[in-house]
């Protein structure tokens, strides 16, 4: 019960817990997973309480080994992630061209301004293939940009300053679209 109390104290504010500073022992896999649609499941059953999902999301960390964990000061447990742990579900556009800024909100309430600290990256593409955009949220955690937002994002594409590739400006950074 004390472990949950430790987590709940971080739930009072909007900032994620300082999981990067915690180094607890590994405690195994208890059956937590985040599916490709952003839904969280425990031993195959969906977690339907948004507050619980947001709490878990605040103590989520992806380590250098590529694995994702829920981390508390006293334990670290596996979380299977199908694609990205978060989904960007809302986008706000301010300005245009090189002065444009894109603000994203995730399915768990994180808000990031895309730019050098929160870059866009694109997976896939090439030879006419589909691509998937991601925005960096924190640590090694990204949000998949939802399909509905992909169309809005692509509509913002402009040629680079040298007229070469198409891409998207945000926060003073240019993010080229895949070929």
């Amino acid at each position: 019960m004390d472990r949950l109390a430790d987590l709940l104290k971080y739930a009072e504010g909007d900032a994620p817990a300082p999981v990067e500073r915690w180094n607890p022992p590994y405690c195994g896999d208890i059956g937590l997973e985040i599916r490709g649609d952003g839904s969280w499941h425990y031993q195959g059953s969906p977690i339907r309480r948004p507050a619980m999902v947001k709490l878990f999301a605040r103590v989520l960390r992806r380590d250098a080994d590529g694995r994702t964990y829920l981390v508390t000061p006293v334990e670290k447990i596996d979380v299977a992630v199908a694609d990205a742990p978060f989904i960007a579900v809302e986008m706000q556009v301010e300005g245009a061209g090189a002065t444009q800024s894109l603000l994203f909100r995730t399915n768990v309430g994180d808000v990031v301004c895309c730019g050098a600290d929160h870059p866009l990256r694109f997976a896939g593409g090439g030879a006419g293939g589909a691509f998937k955009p991601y925005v960096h949220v924190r640590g090694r955690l990204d949000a998949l940009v939802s399909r509905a937002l992909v169309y809005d994002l692509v509509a913002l594409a402009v040629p680079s300053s040298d007229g070469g590739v198409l891409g998207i400006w945000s926060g003073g950074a240019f993010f080229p679209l895949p070929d």
Side-chain angles (χ1 to χ4, degrees):
M1 190 65 159
D2 289 341
R3 293 177 187 162
L4 186 56
D6 287 341
L7 290 177
L8 288 173
K9 78 177 181 180
Y10 291 104
E12 293 172 3
D14 287 336
V19 296
E20 302 302 327
R21 295 192 313 238
W22 295 339
N23 195 20
Y26 175 68
C27 296
D29 183 347
I30 63 168
L32 279 172
E33 68 174 308
I34 304 171
R35 296 193 177 165
D37 64 358
S39 63
W40 287 61
H41 295 257
Y42 172 66
Q43 296 184 352
S45 297
I47 300 173
R48 298 194 190 279
R49 293 182 54 204
M52 185 67 71
V53 169
K54 285 183 179 187
L55 174 65
F56 287 162
R58 295 175 63 167
V59 294
L60 199 63
R61 180 175 86 192
R62 185 167 186 239
D63 284 357
D65 64 7
R67 293 170 59 189
T68 304
Y69 303 96
L70 282 184
V71 180
T72 73
V74 296
E75 65 186 349
K76 178 167 89 170
I77 58 173
D78 275 303
V79 178
V81 179
D83 190 347
F86 312 124
I87 307 290
V89 295
E90 186 178 356
M91 179 178 71
Q92 180 178 337
V93 181
E94 295 179 3
T99 63
Q100 175 173 273
S101 289
L102 304 177
L103 193 68
F104 289 95
R105 184 180 59 81
T106 71
N107 59 319
V108 294
D110 288 308
V111 176
V112 296
C113 185
C114 180
D117 292 337
H118 299 280
L120 276 175
R121 71 174 175 86
F122 300 93
F131 66 87
K132 296 192 296 186
Y134 297 83
V135 63
H136 178 68
V137 177
R138 65 177 179 274
R140 293 182 185 93
L141 302 174
D142 292 340
L144 172 65
V145 176
S146 70
R147 183 180 303 246
L149 295 182
V150 169
Y151 298 108
D152 295 335
L153 194 61
V154 170
L156 298 171
V158 295
S160 62
S161 55
D162 64 3
V165 299
L166 283 177
I168 298 159
W169 284 98
S170 184
F174 185 76
F175 304 99
L177 293 172
D179 293 334

